[in-house]
Amino acid sequence: MSEQIIDLDRADSEMLEKLRTRGVKADACYQCLRCAAGCPVLSFMDIHPNRIVRMLQFGMDKEVLTSKAIWLCASCQTCTTRCPNEVDIAHMMDVLRQEALARGIPCPQPEVEKFHRAFLTAVKRGRVHELSMLAHYKLMTRRFTDDMALGMEMFKRGRMKLIPTRLLPTETMKKIFAKAKEGD
């Protein structure tokens, strides 16, 4: 087994600096592991959330941006609420996904990236309409019948509506996304 030696005096993370400018103080993490202990998708991740933070602290940006973990994060905020140092790990994962996309780094699991894009497209309309988002996702993946039984059950129980409702006007959402893009 080969070990990677990291010179901490020379460890420089471009992503750590980018995270600081986006309001994530990842350098405050002291590895208490509360984020990992509460993560509902931890068993599916190749790198645990606390290790993602440590790798960024050591300047291992490329390894982090090519990991599955940043794409599998459910953004449930469990890690963020449990952190004693208020490191917003859920927001950090979102910034890492955006950076990976901006650098053209392919997602190790294409269906996850397609779901991410379908969700963002739905949000831009003002409110997520599950049926429209699901249709968009299914068109991108070409997997039309995989979850049909589950979808029908959700529809029967009133969990999926045929007609979308809007929370904010579309122009307002366009301004929000334009402002968010300026922050990159």
Side-chain angles (χ1 to χ4, degrees), residues 106-177:
C107 175
Q109 295 186 278
E111 286 82 14
V112 174
E113 181 183 352
K114 288 174 182 170
F115 183 83
H116 177 75
R117 290 181 185 276
F119 180 77
L120 286 178
T121 300
V123 168
K124 286 179 184 177
R125 294 186 186 120
R127 178 174 244 174
V128 176
H129 176 239
E130 291 87 358
L131 192 57
S132 298
M133 184 193 72
L134 184 60
H136 184 203
Y137 172 70
K138 292 295 185 180
L139 284 170
M140 287 192 293
T141 61
R142 302 279 186 230
R143 296 172 64 188
F144 300 106
T145 59
D146 288 358
D147 305 322
M148 194 172 284
L150 178 61
M152 291 303 291
E153 191 61 33
M154 289 176 70
F155 181 73
K156 279 193 253 180
R157 293 180 184 219
R159 298 291 183 197
M160 252 198 274
K161 306 291 182 202
L162 283 176
I163 301 170
T165 57
R166 288 223 166 107
L167 183 62
L168 296 172
T170 304
E171 289 304 312
T172 305
M173 290 308 295
K174 285 180 184 176
K175 288 177 187 175
I176 290 170
F177 272 84

